Amino acid sequence: MFEDVYLWIKALHVIAVISWMAGMLYLPRLFVYHCEAEIGSKQSETFKVMERRLLKAIINPAMIVTWLAGLYLAWAGHWFTFGWLHVKLALVLAMSAVHGFFSRWLKDFAADRRPHSQKFFRIINEVPTVLMIIIVFMVIVKPF
């Protein structure tokens, strides 16, 4: 029975990670387009709604489920003594920090402040991708 629960939690973890990453890749793209919209325009107001809903309805819950399920899996699988998990956890902490920055910038856009340029958001959009790639290699290959 324990193995069944472990597998269900593992599936939930993977689903949550996919949802979190989808949002983390889409939100900075919305920021790029939001930078182009004139402050106070209908387009700008639409981006505010899209960004807020994406963060509140998808990204935040997905991050929470990712963390809770992941910590359960690490505990239940006795993985905490392995080096690859330490690297993964450090990278997931970094992803969570990026998530925090995105949340901060969303608040700036909501207040009609443009915290950074389009170019900045195009570049920052790649950070979650790089973190995700390394995390996946840690989990699948378990190099140490």
Side-chain angles (χ1 to χ4, degrees):
M1 181 167 154
F2 170 77
E3 289 179 18
D4 289 341
V5 170
Y6 187 88
L7 291 176
W8 279 100
I9 300 294
K10 192 175 193 179
L12 178 65
H13 181 67
V14 170
I15 292 165
V17 168
I18 291 168
S19 299
W20 188 22
M21 286 307 306
M24 292 291 285
L25 296 173
Y26 187 46
L27 188 58
R29 178 56 47 191
L30 288 176
F31 291 160
V32 168
Y33 299 138
H34 199 156
C35 285
E36 297 172 354
E38 186 177 325
I39 291 175
S41 68
K42 181 176 169 97
Q43 187 180 30
S44 177
E45 296 305 310
T46 300
F47 282 124
K48 288 178 188 180
V49 171
M50 292 171 67
E51 292 159 358
R52 185 183 72 249
R53 287 181 180 168
L54 179 62
L55 183 72
K56 300 293 184 189
I58 297 173
I59 302 175
N60 286 348
M63 181 191 70
I64 292 166
V65 173
T66 295
W67 269 103
L68 293 175
L71 289 172
Y72 170 81
L73 293 171
W75 170 79
H78 307 287
W79 297 111
F80 281 109
T81 59
F82 293 82
W84 66 267
L85 182 66
H86 299 168
V87 173
K88 178 191 176 188
L89 287 173
L91 294 169
V92 175
L93 278 172
M95 185 78 75
S96 299
V98 172
H99 180 131
F101 285 118
F102 288 178
S103 297
R104 176 67 223 156
W105 296 328
L106 184 141
K107 289 177 185 176
D108 287 337
F109 277 112
D112 289 326
R113 292 187 299 268
R114 301 294 194 255
H116 298 284
S117 69
Q118 291 176 18
K119 184 176 181 180
F120 174 84
F121 288 117
R122 288 180 200 279
I123 293 168
I124 205 74
N125 192 51
E126 303 307 321
V127 172
T129 303
V130 171
L131 291 171
M132 177 195 62
I133 289 168
I134 300 168
I135 290 167
V136 168
F137 277 121
M138 289 298 112
V139 172
I140 302 300
V141 178
K142 295 178 178 61
F144 40 86

